[in-house]
Amino acid sequence: MLLILVVTCSEIAVVLCYFQLCNEDYEWCEPNPNPNSKPNPNPNPNPNTRTPEPEHPNPNTRTPTRARARARTPEPQPEPEPEPEPEPERPNRHARWWRSFLTAGSSGLYLFAYSIMYFFTQLDIIGFVPTLIYFTYMFVFATLFFVITGTIGFYSCYWFVWTIYAAIKVD
């Protein structure tokens, strides 16, 4: 009976962990962070340096007022760079461990729900104290069952992920 419980919890946790792994997107190559961005129209690769202005054909022909006006005009500021878009959130890598624990441990919730149904359909317990004792013991037992089966599910999923990633060769 215990062997069937261990095998069933392991199988369910491994299958659901496998489904979660198939659903994850690892983005092995880094994509363009902003695919809708337009190319930079400025051919100058360094945005902090200005492109040189064309020389005036005869520098002596400039008037002093024009030179003073040019000196008073502030230097054009480069356009502020747009804020980079935040990176898309990657799935929480630890979610598979919690999911494996909770999926296998959910049998403890089923056990407690069944004990409630059993109390109302089969038992003839009358009084507050016996009812409180029954539900307290069933809650403790269901919690222990949740932890035990969740631990079985976690370790089986951990072993499964460790095994499949150990088989991958990275060049």
Side-chain angles (χ1 to χ4, degrees), residues 4 14 17 20 39 41 58 60 63 78 83 91 94-95 100 112 126 128:
I4 294 172
V14 166
C17 184
Q20 183 180 3
N58 188 357
N60 296 331
T63 61
E83 292 185 21
H94 302 290
S100 66
F112 189 70
I126 299 173
F128 177 73

Side-chain angles (χ1 to χ4, degrees), residues 82-117:
E83 292 185 21
E85 293 183 14
E87 288 187 26
E89 291 186 26
R90 294 185 176 195
N92 186 359
R93 301 293 189 235
H94 302 290
R96 76 173 68 100
W97 308 127
W98 282 110
R99 186 172 291 181
S100 66
F101 181 79
L102 294 174
T103 53
S106 64
S107 57
L109 298 175
Y110 171 78
L111 181 69
F112 189 70
Y114 185 77
S115 70
I116 293 172
M117 187 197 73

Side-chain angles (χ1 to χ4, degrees), residues 10-101:
S10 298
E11 286 177 348
I12 289 173
V14 166
V15 166
L16 291 176
C17 184
Y18 176 73
F19 287 159
Q20 183 180 3
L21 287 174
C22 290
N23 192 29
E24 287 182 1
D25 181 19
Y26 287 98
E27 297 179 7
W28 291 106
C29 63
E30 291 296 324
N32 182 5
N34 190 2
N36 298 328
S37 66
K38 296 178 182 175
N40 187 4
N42 185 5
N44 188 0
N46 188 353
N48 296 329
T49 61
R50 291 184 356 174
T51 54
E53 294 181 12
E55 293 275 335
H56 193 274
N58 188 357
N60 296 331
T61 60
R62 288 189 196 170
T63 61
T65 57
R66 184 172 177 176
R68 273 187 258 139
R70 181 174 281 224
R72 275 188 255 138
T73 58
E75 206 174 287
Q77 297 293 326
E79 293 182 17
E81 294 182 17
E83 292 185 21
E85 293 183 14
E87 288 187 26
E89 291 186 26
R90 294 185 176 195
N92 186 359
R93 301 293 189 235
H94 302 290
R96 76 173 68 100
W97 308 127
W98 282 110
R99 186 172 291 181
S100 66
F101 181 79

